[in-house]
C-alpha cells in the first residue's frame, strides 16, 4: 500500500511538472498606450468630472525602447529608411472619428504608424497594414496618408521613446513623438 501511495504521488508530481506553463522573460521595450484626451481611459473611470462629456478621439499603442547609451538617429535608427516608431510591432493608432493630419483626411479606424526620419524632418506614415512586426514588410501601396514634420530639439533628453498628445484647441491636438533630444510634432484635427 505504501508503494502504491508513493508511486501515485510521484506520478502526480511528474504530471504536474509536464503541464506547467513557462513564460519567456520580460521584454526590454515595454508596451505603452497614449490617449487623446490625455489619460482618457484612467479619467473616465477614476476622474469623470475631469473629462466631462469628452470622448476618446485617438489612442496609440506602442513599444518604448530605451536609449541605453546608444547613438540613436542616424545610427541605430537609420536616416531615410522606414522605421516602426518604437520597438517590436509597429505602433497601432486608432482614430475614433475621421481626422485630418496635415492636409490628409483619414477615416476613423485602426492603422499602423511608421516614420521615415531624417536629420531635419520626419515623414509620418499612416498605413492600413496593421499587425506588422517592425517595418520589414512595409508596403507603400497600403499608405493611407503621409505628412512631413520638422525635427525639434528637446530641452531634456528622453531615455525612452515616448508618444504623448497635447490639446491645442477644441478641434486640434498635437501628437508628440520623442527620443533622446529629437522631437517631432504632428498636428491632428477633428
Amino acid at each position: 500500500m505504501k508503494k502504491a501511495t508513493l508511486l501515485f504521488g510521484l506520478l502526480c508530481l511528474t504530471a504536474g511538472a509536464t503541464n506547467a506553463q513557462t513564460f519567456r522573460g520580460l521584454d526590454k521595450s515595454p508596451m505603452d498606450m497614449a490617449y487623446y484626451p490625455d489619460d482618457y481611459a484612467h479619467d473616465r473611470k477614476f476622474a469623470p468630472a475631469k473629462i466631462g462629456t469628452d470622448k476618446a478621439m485617438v489612442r496609440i499603442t506602442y513599444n518604448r525602447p530605451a536609449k541605453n547609451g546608444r547613438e540613436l538617429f542616424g545610427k541605430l535608427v537609420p536616416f531615410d529608411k522606414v522605421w516602426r516608431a518604437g520597438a517590436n510591432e509597429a505602433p497601432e493608432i486608432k482614430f475614433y472619428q475621421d481626422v485630418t493630419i496635415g492636409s490628409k483626411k483619414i477615416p476613423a479606424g485602426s492603422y499602423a504608424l511608421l516614420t521615415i526620419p531624417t536629420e531635419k524632418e520626419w515623414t509620418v506614415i499612416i498605413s492600413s497594414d496593421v499587425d506588422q512586426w517592425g517595418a520589414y514588410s512595409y508596403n507603400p501601396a497600403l499608405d493611407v496618408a503621409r505628412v512631413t514634420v520638422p525635427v525639434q530639439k528637446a530641452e531634456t533628453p528622453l531615455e525612452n521613446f515616448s508618444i504623448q498628445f497635447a490639446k491645442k484647441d477644441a478641434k486640434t491636438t498635437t501628437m508628440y513623438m520623442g527620443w533622446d533630444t529629437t522631437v517631432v510634432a504632428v498636428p491632428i484635427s477633428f
Side-chain angles (χ1 to χ4, degrees), residues 179-190:
W179 198 13
D180 193 18
T181 59
T182 299
V183 175
V184 294
V186 183
I188 301 173
S189 301
F190 304 98

Side-chain angles (χ1 to χ4, degrees), residues 33 35 37-51:
M33 187 175 291
Y35 273 93
D38 194 32
D39 284 333
Y40 177 79
H42 172 273
D43 293 346
R44 189 176 103 182
K45 176 72 175 172
F46 299 107
K50 185 175 173 185
I51 61 169

